[in-house]
Amino acid sequence: MQIKGRLLRNIASALATRGINLAASIVIVPLLLAELGPHGYGVLAIILSATIFFSYADLGLALAVVNVVSSPTESPENIRSTVNRVWWILCAISIATSLIGIAALITLSFWMPALRTHLFAWIVAVASISASIPTGLVQRILFAQQRGLTSGLWNAAARIASAAAVWFAMPLNLPLEYFSFAVLGIPAVVGWLCVIYFFGVNSPALRPGFSIPHPRHWGSDLKAGLSFTVLQLGVYVETGLDNALIGAFYSATVVAHYDLLARLFNYIPALVSIGAFPLWPALRNANLGKAEAQRLMLAAYTTMAGIVIPLVLALILWHDAIIELWTGQPYERSASLATALGLFTLLTCAATIQGMALNSRNLITTQARTQLITLPILLTAKSLALSAAGVSAAPVMTSLTVLGRSVYYSFGLRRR
């Protein structure tokens, strides 16, 4: 009962605080659309979609710390040593990513006029994301310690500050690079404030030392993080590249149309992910028996289905009216795209819960290998489908991939 009570408290606090986070994100969209217009919003959506790739340059190291911090058998000395090593690796990655990314953008701008037109906005996005890479470590430590309320409050503060920055800029007619900073740079600033508070006041025992660990000690951390990197990149390639792919085949206006509907549906798996994530450290740390763990997972799947299915059906039926109410802009109804996104949403929510159980069992490498096999197939299929069957084909291809992997995890691993 104590385990379940703590898990429920973490889920409730995560949903409450991250709900504020999502609410702020929902508010930002109509503000950006009204200020930038459909074309400008589409350009910003492409920038955000493409540059978010740099956030995965952390090589999964922050996530790899979760199983170390949450394990009841790890010594405090080993936890401190791991945190120290990972912190300095992430700082090095942050600097390198920023320099390489900006250099690449400047070089590509000589051959790409569209990139050159909004080069500063691209640079601001890459620099902001790179600067936020080390801050993710503190969020993962809080998550591993099952301190969902603290982590959620910092995330909510970042999103509220971002929304406020966009709102205050509305009457000033500022350029696109400002909004790039408001969406990505402001959360990075709040993230660094969280780092200063956590290591300086809240948990000084975990504060990284001034002596940088020798690179020969980085191997085990990098190896552990590699699998998480593959998983993170897999999620990004499956959905985060959709705007960029659609932009390659269609106009920025079409990207804006797709992005609004996809964003609306994606709020559902985002909420499910918030509620499901506490399952990972709970299953890892609690040493539940097999029967109790199965009951816990069944309850998670049942709760998810009871919440997600009505929401998906409502969005399929009334997505145009909801988006028009949300943005204040006319929106052309697309039943086929809404149905495809609804299918993807339901499958993704189920796969998210399944992933928490796999993570708690340290089956990270298995998931990473499966991603490596399926991603090239998905990218090829999605590109062909977009050119031949229209925008709705993108979420359909992703849904089939998610379903295939879930079936393999459920039955293929069991047979092995």
Side-chain angles (χ1 to χ4, degrees):
M1 291 300 294
Q2 183 179 3
I3 294 172
K4 291 182 178 179
R6 185 174 185 181
L7 176 60
L8 289 174
R9 285 195 300 271
N10 279 319
I11 292 174
S13 61
L15 287 172
T17 54
R18 297 296 179 92
I20 299 173
N21 191 333
L22 287 177
S25 299
I26 291 172
V27 170
I28 286 177
V29 172
L31 293 178
L32 291 172
L33 191 60
E35 177 67 16
L36 301 174
H39 179 78
Y41 178 84
V43 173
L44 182 61
I46 292 172
I47 292 175
L48 298 179
S49 175
T51 57
I52 201 69
F53 169 80
F54 289 90
S55 66
Y56 299 114
D58 68 350
L59 303 180
L61 290 167
L63 278 171
V65 169
V66 171
N67 279 343
V68 175
V69 176
S70 62
S71 175
T73 60
E74 292 288 349
S75 66
E77 292 77 14
N78 187 50
I79 293 175
R80 283 196 299 269
S81 176
T82 300
V83 170
N84 184 66
R85 288 197 311 272
V86 170
W87 169 258
W88 286 112
I89 297 174
L90 291 177
C91 287
I93 290 173
S94 174
I95 295 171
T97 300
S98 181
L99 294 176
I100 294 172
I102 292 173
L105 288 172
I106 294 174
T107 303
L108 290 173
S109 68
F110 289 104
W111 290 277
M112 302 174 65
L115 174 60
R116 186 164 58 249
T117 302
H118 302 291
L119 178 60
F120 195 34
W122 283 88
I123 290 176
V124 169
V126 169
S128 297
I129 292 178
S130 299
S132 67
I133 288 175
T135 67
L137 177 61
V138 170
Q139 290 295 319
R140 297 310 180 187
I141 293 174
L142 291 171
F143 167 65
Q145 294 174 340
Q146 300 189 62
R147 296 167 62 188
L149 180 60
T150 302
S151 174
L153 287 174
W154 279 104
N155 278 313
R159 287 301 174 187
I160 292 172
S162 181
V166 172
W167 186 78
F168 281 117
M170 293 287 290
L172 302 179
N173 195 28
L174 294 174
L176 186 63
E177 49 265 24
Y178 172 84
F179 294 97
S180 180
F181 176 78
V183 175
L184 297 175
I186 295 295
V189 172
V190 176
W192 275 100
L193 292 176
C194 176
V195 168
I196 294 170
Y197 173 78
F198 181 80
F199 286 133
V201 179
N202 188 266
S203 299
L206 293 178
R207 184 188 307 155
F210 289 103
S211 59
I212 301 176
H214 195 279
R216 68 172 177 269
H217 299 302
W218 295 6
S220 59
D221 299 307
L222 292 172
K223 183 178 179 181
L226 181 60
S227 295
F228 283 106
T229 302
V230 173
L231 291 178
Q232 289 177 312
L233 286 174
V235 174
Y236 168 75
V237 171
E238 286 178 358
T239 58
L241 278 181
D242 281 355
N243 283 342
L245 285 174
I246 293 170
F249 290 99
Y250 304 96
S251 67
T253 303
V254 175
V255 173
H257 181 272
Y258 174 82
D259 180 79
L260 286 173
L261 187 56
R263 189 179 295 269
L264 189 65
F265 273 95
N266 282 335
Y267 287 131
I268 299 175
L271 284 171
V272 170
S273 178
I274 292 168
F277 247 63
L279 286 170
W280 176 3
L283 291 171
R284 173 75 176 174
N285 194 15
N287 296 318
L288 296 175
K290 182 178 180 180
E292 188 174 359
Q294 288 177 340
R295 287 195 295 270
L296 187 60
M297 292 300 295
L298 178 60
Y301 281 121
T302 303
T303 303
M304 180 275 297
I307 295 173
V308 170
I309 291 176
L311 290 176
V312 166
L313 291 176
L315 292 184
I316 291 174
L317 293 174
W318 302 300
H319 62 274
D320 52 337
I322 293 172
I323 291 177
E324 289 178 0
L325 180 63
W326 174 28
T327 64
Q329 302 287 330
Y331 188 86
E332 183 179 353
R333 180 176 179 80
S334 179
S336 59
L337 180 58
T339 302
L341 286 168
L343 175 63
F344 164 75
T345 297
L346 184 59
L347 291 173
T348 299
C349 291
T352 298
I353 294 175
Q354 184 184 48
M356 297 304 101
L358 294 172
N359 289 349
S360 70
R361 293 164 55 194
N362 250 342
L363 292 174
I364 311 301
T365 303
T366 300
Q367 295 177 77
R369 288 172 180 168
T370 308
Q371 286 274 23
L372 287 174
I373 293 172
T374 57
L375 283 180
I377 300 172
L378 173 60
L379 276 178
T380 303
K382 188 177 288 189
S383 298
L384 293 174
L386 278 172
S387 62
V391 176
S392 300
V396 171
M397 294 297 103
T398 311
S399 297
L400 292 175
T401 303
V402 173
L403 178 61
R405 283 202 305 266
S406 295
V407 170
Y408 169 69
Y409 294 145
S410 297
F411 300 102
L413 291 181
R414 186 176 300 175
R415 286 199 301 269
R416 290 170 53 189

